[in-house]
Amino acid sequence: MTRWLSEEEQATWQSYIRMRQRLDAAIAAGLSQDGLSTSDYEVLVALSGAGGQLRAKELGAEICWDKSRLSKHLSRMAARGLVDRCQAADDARGREVRLTEQGRRALETAAPNHVELVRQLFIDDMGPAEAAALRSLSERVVLRAERTDVPGIG
């Protein structure tokens, strides 16, 4: 039997969706001013956080992308000089993705503007207790989503 959302639950869900859509659009617009898409930024941040290199499979898992999407986007990024793809040193079938110097410079250029925008739109209106509550809720939702049998998650 379907457990329909109450009016309050529906209003909460719709409020979250509107927030996410507006925030995603504003972040995308901000990154585009530095010549990056949000997808570019996700890849560059993941690679940077991993010391500049990851196996393609690990990168896809880190950013929750399927193999096809990752491959196509990495091809576009490689054509722009932001990443390199190479044979994994320890596995003839594996591929590694490496952050190039140009990719590192692009990330270093975009990061300060991105962080300032995140701060203005999201962080600055939150007090410490609200931030802790949101972080706790977000972590619980992520764990539940990762344990749920939904393709492309976890």
Side-chain angles (χ1 to χ4, degrees):
M1 182 170 165
T2 301
R3 296 184 316 139
W4 297 105
L5 300 178
S6 69
E7 283 186 40
E8 187 172 314
E9 290 167 335
Q10 182 67 18
T12 300
W13 178 243
Q14 291 301 317
S15 179
Y16 164 75
I17 288 172
R18 281 190 306 279
M19 177 192 70
R20 192 192 74 226
Q21 290 169 335
R22 299 314 187 279
L23 194 56
D24 287 350
I27 295 297
L31 286 169
S32 72
Q33 291 178 352
D34 289 312
L36 295 175
S37 68
T38 55
S39 296
D40 294 337
Y41 195 78
E42 283 183 62
V43 169
L44 295 175
V45 167
L47 290 172
S48 178
Q53 188 167 319
L54 274 173
R55 293 179 69 89
K57 185 175 183 175
E58 293 168 348
L59 176 59
E62 175 72 19
I63 60 178
C64 296
W65 288 9
D66 65 44
K67 186 177 179 179
S68 175
R69 177 182 181 192
L70 181 65
S71 179
K72 289 175 184 174
H73 195 76
L74 290 176
S75 292
R76 291 189 292 271
M77 290 181 75
R80 292 169 39 221
L82 300 173
V83 298
D84 282 330
R85 291 192 286 185
C86 54
Q87 193 81 27
D90 61 342
D91 180 0
R93 295 179 301 152
R95 303 288 289 169
E96 290 187 346
V97 183
R98 188 176 59 231
L99 183 62
T100 64
E101 190 55 39
Q102 184 175 340
R104 188 173 308 283
R105 283 192 309 270
L107 180 59
E108 289 170 354
T109 297
N113 298 330
H114 174 72
V115 169
E116 184 56 34
L117 188 56
V118 168
R119 179 169 294 291
Q120 287 175 359
L121 297 175
F122 191 72
I123 298 296
D124 285 348
D125 283 339
M126 240 185 292
E130 290 171 313
L134 179 59
R135 190 170 45 255
S136 175
L137 173 62
S138 297
E139 290 168 357
R140 288 192 319 267
V141 170
V142 166
L143 283 173
R144 184 170 292 161
E146 287 175 343
R147 288 191 298 249
T148 302
D149 189 23
V150 178
I153 296 179

PDB file of all heavy atoms in Angstrom, residues 72-86:
ATOM      1  N   LYS A  72      31.925   9.448 -21.750  1.00  0.00           N
ATOM      2  CA  LYS A  72      31.634  10.547 -22.679  1.00  0.00           C
ATOM      3  C   LYS A  72      32.120  11.882 -22.145  1.00  0.00           C
ATOM      4  O   LYS A  72      32.702  12.691 -22.868  1.00  0.00           O
ATOM      5  CB  LYS A  72      30.132  10.600 -22.979  1.00  0.00           C
ATOM      6  CG  LYS A  72      29.655   9.457 -23.841  1.00  0.00           C
ATOM      7  CD  LYS A  72      28.159   9.469 -24.011  1.00  0.00           C
ATOM      8  CE  LYS A  72      27.711   8.243 -24.791  1.00  0.00           C
ATOM      9  NZ  LYS A  72      26.257   8.139 -24.858  1.00  0.00           N
ATOM     10  N   HIS A  73      31.891  12.108 -20.854  1.00  0.00           N
ATOM     11  CA  HIS A  73      32.302  13.398 -20.297  1.00  0.00           C
ATOM     12  C   HIS A  73      33.826  13.489 -20.211  1.00  0.00           C
ATOM     13  O   HIS A  73      34.401  14.555 -20.484  1.00  0.00           O
ATOM     14  CB  HIS A  73      31.668  13.660 -18.929  1.00  0.00           C
ATOM     15  CG  HIS A  73      31.787  15.084 -18.533  1.00  0.00           C
ATOM     16  ND1 HIS A  73      30.992  16.068 -19.085  1.00  0.00           N
ATOM     17  CD2 HIS A  73      32.649  15.718 -17.716  1.00  0.00           C
ATOM     18  CE1 HIS A  73      31.359  17.242 -18.605  1.00  0.00           C
ATOM     19  NE2 HIS A  73      32.363  17.056 -17.767  1.00  0.00           N
ATOM     20  N   LEU A  74      34.486  12.401 -19.855  1.00  0.00           N
ATOM     21  CA  LEU A  74      35.949  12.423 -19.800  1.00  0.00           C
ATOM     22  C   LEU A  74      36.546  12.670 -21.179  1.00  0.00           C
ATOM     23  O   LEU A  74      37.580  13.348 -21.296  1.00  0.00           O
ATOM     24  CB  LEU A  74      36.489  11.117 -19.211  1.00  0.00           C
ATOM     25  CG  LEU A  74      36.238  10.916 -17.724  1.00  0.00           C
ATOM     26  CD1 LEU A  74      36.732   9.545 -17.282  1.00  0.00           C
ATOM     27  CD2 LEU A  74      36.875  12.021 -16.875  1.00  0.00           C
ATOM     28  N   SER A  75      35.906  12.163 -22.222  1.00  0.00           N
ATOM     29  CA  SER A  75      36.382  12.434 -23.586  1.00  0.00           C
ATOM     30  C   SER A  75      36.321  13.929 -23.884  1.00  0.00           C
ATOM     31  O   SER A  75      37.265  14.496 -24.457  1.00  0.00           O
ATOM     32  CB  SER A  75      35.544  11.672 -24.612  1.00  0.00           C
ATOM     33  OG  SER A  75      35.767  10.289 -24.497  1.00  0.00           O
ATOM     34  N   ARG A  76      35.225  14.562 -23.475  1.00  0.00           N
ATOM     35  CA  ARG A  76      35.105  16.013 -23.698  1.00  0.00           C
ATOM     36  C   ARG A  76      36.134  16.779 -22.879  1.00  0.00           C
ATOM     37  O   ARG A  76      36.746  17.742 -23.359  1.00  0.00           O
ATOM     38  CB  ARG A  76      33.682  16.489 -23.368  1.00  0.00           C
ATOM     39  CG  ARG A  76      32.634  15.988 -24.363  1.00  0.00           C
ATOM     40  CD  ARG A  76      31.285  16.647 -24.140  1.00  0.00           C
ATOM     41  NE  ARG A  76      30.648  16.273 -22.897  1.00  0.00           N
ATOM     42  CZ  ARG A  76      29.833  15.229 -22.728  1.00  0.00           C
ATOM     43  NH1 ARG A  76      29.547  14.446 -23.760  1.00  0.00           N
ATOM     44  NH2 ARG A  76      29.296  14.974 -21.561  1.00  0.00           N
ATOM     45  N   MET A  77      36.336  16.358 -21.650  1.00  0.00           N
ATOM     46  CA  MET A  77      37.316  17.040 -20.798  1.00  0.00           C
ATOM     47  C   MET A  77      38.739  16.826 -21.301  1.00  0.00           C
ATOM     48  O   MET A  77      39.560  17.754 -21.248  1.00  0.00           O
ATOM     49  CB  MET A  77      37.180  16.564 -19.342  1.00  0.00           C
ATOM     50  CG  MET A  77      35.908  17.033 -18.663  1.00  0.00           C
ATOM     51  SD  MET A  77      35.797  16.477 -16.935  1.00  0.00           S
ATOM     52  CE  MET A  77      36.986  17.593 -16.158  1.00  0.00           C
ATOM     53  N   ALA A  78      39.026  15.628 -21.793  1.00  0.00           N
ATOM     54  CA  ALA A  78      40.364  15.343 -22.330  1.00  0.00           C
ATOM     55  C   ALA A  78      40.626  16.185 -23.574  1.00  0.00           C
ATOM     56  O   ALA A  78      41.735  16.697 -23.764  1.00  0.00           O
ATOM     57  CB  ALA A  78      40.500  13.855 -22.640  1.00  0.00           C
ATOM     58  N   ALA A  79      39.609  16.359 -24.396  1.00  0.00           N
ATOM     59  CA  ALA A  79      39.759  17.181 -25.606  1.00  0.00           C
ATOM     60  C   ALA A  79      40.069  18.638 -25.249  1.00  0.00           C
ATOM     61  O   ALA A  79      40.728  19.333 -26.026  1.00  0.00           O
ATOM     62  CB  ALA A  79      38.494  17.102 -26.460  1.00  0.00           C
ATOM     63  N   ARG A  80      39.626  19.070 -24.079  1.00  0.00           N
ATOM     64  CA  ARG A  80      39.894  20.436 -23.614  1.00  0.00           C
ATOM     65  C   ARG A  80      41.167  20.523 -22.783  1.00  0.00           C
ATOM     66  O   ARG A  80      41.531  21.583 -22.284  1.00  0.00           O
ATOM     67  CB  ARG A  80      38.693  20.947 -22.813  1.00  0.00           C
ATOM     68  CG  ARG A  80      37.482  21.141 -23.710  1.00  0.00           C
ATOM     69  CD  ARG A  80      36.173  21.395 -22.969  1.00  0.00           C
ATOM     70  NE  ARG A  80      36.275  22.240 -21.812  1.00  0.00           N
ATOM     71  CZ  ARG A  80      35.613  21.997 -20.661  1.00  0.00           C
ATOM     72  NH1 ARG A  80      34.826  20.938 -20.549  1.00  0.00           N
ATOM     73  NH2 ARG A  80      35.738  22.822 -19.649  1.00  0.00           N
ATOM     74  N   GLY A  81      41.833  19.382 -22.582  1.00  0.00           N
ATOM     75  CA  GLY A  81      43.106  19.371 -21.861  1.00  0.00           C
ATOM     76  C   GLY A  81      42.984  19.373 -20.350  1.00  0.00           C
ATOM     77  O   GLY A  81      43.971  19.605 -19.650  1.00  0.00           O
ATOM     78  N   LEU A  82      41.796  19.088 -19.812  1.00  0.00           N
ATOM     79  CA  LEU A  82      41.592  19.132 -18.365  1.00  0.00           C
ATOM     80  C   LEU A  82      41.997  17.837 -17.667  1.00  0.00           C
ATOM     81  O   LEU A  82      42.386  17.864 -16.492  1.00  0.00           O
ATOM     82  CB  LEU A  82      40.127  19.448 -18.042  1.00  0.00           C
ATOM     83  CG  LEU A  82      39.601  20.782 -18.582  1.00  0.00           C
ATOM     84  CD1 LEU A  82      38.098  20.904 -18.353  1.00  0.00           C
ATOM     85  CD2 LEU A  82      40.350  21.942 -17.952  1.00  0.00           C
ATOM     86  N   VAL A  83      41.888  16.718 -18.376  1.00  0.00           N
ATOM     87  CA  VAL A  83      42.251  15.410 -17.821  1.00  0.00           C
ATOM     88  C   VAL A  83      42.951  14.586 -18.890  1.00  0.00           C
ATOM     89  O   VAL A  83      42.830  14.865 -20.085  1.00  0.00           O
ATOM     90  CB  VAL A  83      41.017  14.614 -17.305  1.00  0.00           C
ATOM     91  CG1 VAL A  83      40.315  15.342 -16.172  1.00  0.00           C
ATOM     92  CG2 VAL A  83      40.048  14.284 -18.423  1.00  0.00           C
ATOM     93  N   ASP A  84      43.675  13.584 -18.434  1.00  0.00           N
ATOM     94  CA  ASP A  84      44.264  12.558 -19.307  1.00  0.00           C
ATOM     95  C   ASP A  84      43.703  11.215 -18.880  1.00  0.00           C
ATOM     96  O   ASP A  84      43.464  10.992 -17.689  1.00  0.00           O
ATOM     97  CB  ASP A  84      45.789  12.487 -19.143  1.00  0.00           C
ATOM     98  CG  ASP A  84      46.520  13.582 -19.845  1.00  0.00           C
ATOM     99  OD1 ASP A  84      46.021  14.071 -20.878  1.00  0.00           O
ATOM    100  OD2 ASP A  84      47.609  13.953 -19.363  1.00  0.00           O
ATOM    101  N   ARG A  85      43.529  10.333 -19.842  1.00  0.00           N
ATOM    102  CA  ARG A  85      43.161   8.950 -19.527  1.00  0.00           C
ATOM    103  C   ARG A  85      44.311   8.070 -19.968  1.00  0.00           C
ATOM    104  O   ARG A  85      44.837   8.230 -21.071  1.00  0.00           O
ATOM    105  CB  ARG A  85      41.869   8.548 -20.232  1.00  0.00           C
ATOM    106  CG  ARG A  85      40.676   9.287 -19.672  1.00  0.00           C
ATOM    107  CD  ARG A  85      39.380   8.724 -20.142  1.00  0.00           C
ATOM    108  NE  ARG A  85      39.135   9.083 -21.528  1.00  0.00           N
ATOM    109  CZ  ARG A  85      38.021   8.807 -22.176  1.00  0.00           C
ATOM    110  NH1 ARG A  85      37.067   8.153 -21.576  1.00  0.00           N
ATOM    111  NH2 ARG A  85      37.867   9.180 -23.417  1.00  0.00           N
ATOM    112  N   CYS A  86      44.687   7.155 -19.108  1.00  0.00           N
ATOM    113  CA  CYS A  86      45.819   6.288 -19.439  1.00  0.00           C
ATOM    114  C   CYS A  86      45.583   4.884 -18.884  1.00  0.00           C
ATOM    115  O   CYS A  86      44.682   4.669 -18.073  1.00  0.00           O
ATOM    116  CB  CYS A  86      47.110   6.882 -18.888  1.00  0.00           C
ATOM    117  SG  CYS A  86      47.061   7.243 -17.127  1.00  0.00           S
TER     118      CYS A  86
END
